[in-house]
Amino acid sequence: MYTYTIKRSLWALLLLACTLVACEDFLEEKPDGKLAVPSSLEDLQALLDYVNVLNYNSPAGSSETSADDYYLTTDAWAALFNEGEQRKYTWAEDNLFHIDYYPNDWYSAYERVYYANTVLEGLQRLARTPANAAAWDQVKGQALYHRAQALLNAAFVWTVAYDEATAATDLGLPLRLSTDFGGRSVRASLQETYGQILQDLEQATALLPVTARHVMRPSAPAAHALLARTLLVMGRYAEAGAQADRSLQLYDRLLDYNTLDSAVSFPFPPFNPEVLQESQISTPEPLYISTARVDSTLYRLYAPDDLRKALFFQENADGSQAYRGSYEGNPTLFAGVATDEVYLIQAETLARAGDVTGALERLNTLLRYRWRTGTFVELTAATPDEALALVLQERRKELLMRGLRWMDIKRLNREGAGITLRRVLDGRAYVLPPGDPRFALPLPEEVIELSGMTQNPR
């Protein structure tokens, strides 16, 4: 598994580069690029600030490519350079990933894990003292957060939805928790995989500061939010709601969409007040703004006075819609953690607990910032099921193109939603019904050949 990461990872370690493009004045103190081995807290922090690995290559592109927020025309699909992306779009059974193609989400996920492990091992060689305790804790918290985030995104791509009844035997991920290349790669169970993610995040919440120096670095509110996301997809709704509440208690700002200009190409400023932790997808070909067309059924869900309709989309020459609503402020897709998602997690968990009033209060709080001033009429529901339906619809409308929809489909189908995906290319229909094993994408064939790990069933 680590064979293809060694050269690039070690090269990065030798350089200790802190590439901070578009990060304003973040980390004005540059690390010493001549250091070969991280030997101080400053060196370890420099590794964590290597944003090209830890922030700018989120392994979430495969999730979004596989999901239903968009579609491709036959000509656009045929023009894709990467055959793996073509196969991914049609939910083919194999050969979706290749070492020579970029972006490679498997590579990106485990490169992040490698960096995090390097930092955690480096901390073991540095004594925690009263003088360095705050910095030591923050470095450890950041490394744990990044490892958990990488594993969670990978689980969204390569595992089935978490089911408590089968998680102990369902295939999870290989859990590489050290930098030792000699260890044999073995797939853990899904229960063990999510257990490791929860353990990392629970530790991170206690170690990270309430306010990070920059959203490139994780914070306590971000860790609670990512923990809430993890528990949500596991179906542990009461715990997910509690973590969402803790995150919002620490930071609850929302961005008023009335303050944004729909006339500019990309209306959302990077690092806007809703962003808790910055991460972006290495956008694969099918999701290019010039290629991907927004699902028309999804687009019709937005009312005229819902500002997301004007801010998220732009009309193409053929009358279709392109997505331009990324919180990156450019065509790159946002895959980090933001407060709007936390409000929606809290609303969903309250609805599932039967608290209609609480669920709609959270949901309406968010939507007041999304509608044209003076036009929003608060949503109402008579039953918990009605409230849940409203929350899930707004979740779909709010969080599109963030690498979340693919796992949402899987977890909702686990609950009996019956979501079937369909594509049509040149008159041929491709269908992905609920429960199909292709919802867990195949591991790269090179990984299977090198490691002997079990491939996902087809």
Side-chain angles (χ1 to χ4, degrees):
M1 175 186 68
Y2 265 71
T3 299
Y4 0 116
T5 71
I6 296 174
K7 290 184 179 179
R8 184 174 173 189
S9 296
L10 292 182
W11 176 82
L13 285 170
L14 290 171
L15 290 180
L16 284 176
C18 183
T19 306
L20 299 170
V21 179
C23 294
E24 300 171 341
D25 59 353
F26 174 51
L27 292 183
E28 294 175 1
E29 302 88 354
K30 305 301 182 190
D32 184 351
K34 296 180 181 179
L35 292 174
V37 177
S39 58
S40 68
L41 284 177
E42 290 76 14
D43 296 345
L44 297 177
Q45 184 62 67
L47 279 180
L48 293 168
D49 290 332
Y50 187 35
V51 299
N52 281 357
V53 169
L54 293 167
N55 298 88
Y56 285 167
N57 288 297
S58 171
S62 295
S63 291
E64 199 57 57
T65 300
S66 303
D68 60 349
D69 285 340
Y70 78 106
Y71 69 94
L72 299 177
T73 65
T74 299
D75 288 344
W77 177 83
L80 296 177
F81 174 77
N82 185 338
E83 184 182 354
E85 298 299 334
Q86 289 181 320
R87 296 178 64 77
K88 203 177 296 177
Y89 181 77
T90 59
W91 310 299
E93 294 186 349
D94 54 17
N95 294 308
L96 307 191
F97 303 93
H98 194 280
I99 188 174
D100 294 332
Y101 288 140
Y102 180 84
N104 184 317
D105 282 346
W106 184 271
Y107 176 99
S108 296
Y110 282 97
E111 188 176 30
R112 285 188 174 203
V113 170
Y114 179 81
Y115 268 64
N117 289 339
T118 299
V119 171
L120 292 170
E121 291 176 5
L123 284 173
Q124 294 175 11
R125 297 188 291 270
L126 297 174
R128 183 181 183 274
T129 68
N132 72 8
W136 197 100
D137 287 350
Q138 288 185 34
V139 166
K140 183 175 182 180
Q142 290 171 62
L144 290 167
Y145 178 98
H146 284 301
R147 184 167 72 183
Q149 187 180 49
L151 290 173
L152 184 62
N153 282 328
F156 285 4
V157 177
W158 287 288
T159 72
V160 298
Y162 192 93
D163 186 333
E164 189 65 39
T166 61
T169 54
D170 287 337
L171 287 171
L173 300 170
L175 298 177
R176 298 305 294 253
L177 305 181
S178 78
T179 58
D180 178 14
F181 296 124
R184 180 169 174 262
S185 292
V186 178
R187 294 187 73 170
S189 70
L190 196 57
Q191 184 178 73
E192 292 168 330
T193 298
Y194 274 87
Q196 184 63 52
I197 294 166
L198 292 177
Q199 179 179 310
D200 284 354
L201 288 174
E202 286 164 357
Q203 290 185 66
T205 60
L207 295 168
L208 292 169
V210 172
T211 304
R213 184 170 179 182
H214 192 281
V215 292
M216 287 290 180
R217 294 180 181 175
S219 62
H224 283 295
L226 194 60
L227 189 51
R229 180 190 292 178
T230 305
L231 290 162
L232 183 80
V233 303
M234 295 176 72
R236 292 164 58 171
Y237 297 119
E239 295 168 85
Q243 290 298 326
D245 185 61
R246 293 189 69 179
S247 179
L248 291 174
Q249 286 180 20
L250 296 173
Y251 186 89
D252 64 355
R253 286 188 62 186
L254 289 168
L255 176 63
D256 185 352
Y257 281 17
N258 285 279
T259 65
L260 303 176
D261 183 3
S262 63
V264 301
S265 297
F266 299 99
F268 294 93
F271 318 129
N272 74 64
E274 288 187 8
V275 175
L276 293 171
Q277 187 266 329
E278 163 67 11
S279 184
Q280 47 178 256
I281 294 172
S282 292
T283 311
E285 284 184 277
L287 301 180
Y288 288 172
I289 192 171
S290 59
T291 305
R293 284 161 166 74
V294 175
D295 177 79
S296 58
T297 302
L298 172 60
Y299 178 72
R300 288 193 294 270
L301 293 176
Y302 298 86
D305 286 318
D306 184 340
L307 293 169
R308 292 173 296 187
K309 189 169 190 176
L311 295 169
F312 281 4
F313 311 109
Q314 66 182 24
E315 188 168 339
N316 295 315
D318 63 359
S320 65
Q321 300 294 323
Y323 175 74
R324 58 157 185 170
S326 171
Y327 275 12
E328 298 300 330
N330 58 53
T332 306
L333 298 177
F334 176 74
V337 183
T339 53
D340 57 347
E341 180 189 355
V342 186
Y343 276 87
L344 287 163
I345 291 174
Q346 195 175 54
E348 180 177 342
T349 57
L350 288 169
R352 290 184 182 276
D355 184 354
V356 173
T357 300
L360 291 180
E361 187 278 327
R362 291 284 83 184
L363 184 60
N364 287 324
T365 296
L366 170 66
L367 294 179
R368 279 193 288 271
Y369 287 83
R370 300 304 187 244
W371 281 62
R372 198 177 311 281
T373 300
T375 66
F376 178 61
V377 178
E378 292 196 349
L379 302 182
T380 61
T383 67
D385 285 344
E386 288 181 10
L388 180 60
L390 289 173
V391 173
L392 292 177
Q393 178 168 281
E394 292 304 325
R395 180 180 174 89
R396 177 85 195 280
K397 292 160 65 178
E398 179 75 16
L399 303 179
L400 72 162
M401 292 292 184
R402 293 197 194 178
L404 298 174
R405 175 62 178 168
W406 183 241
M407 180 51 82
D408 272 354
I409 295 168
K410 292 196 278 189
R411 73 178 180 91
L412 293 173
N413 278 344
R414 176 196 63 203
E415 304 284 348
I419 301 170
T420 295
L421 305 187
R422 293 179 176 83
R423 317 268 208 211
V424 177
L425 293 170
D426 199 23
R428 178 182 175 184
Y430 299 84
V431 180
L432 189 66
D436 194 295
R438 291 175 293 166
F439 272 109
L441 272 60
L443 275 62
E445 278 73 16
E446 291 96 340
V447 170
I448 299 299
E449 293 171 8
L450 288 168
S451 67
M453 287 190 295
T454 303
Q455 179 61 279
N456 283 331
R458 301 338 265 157

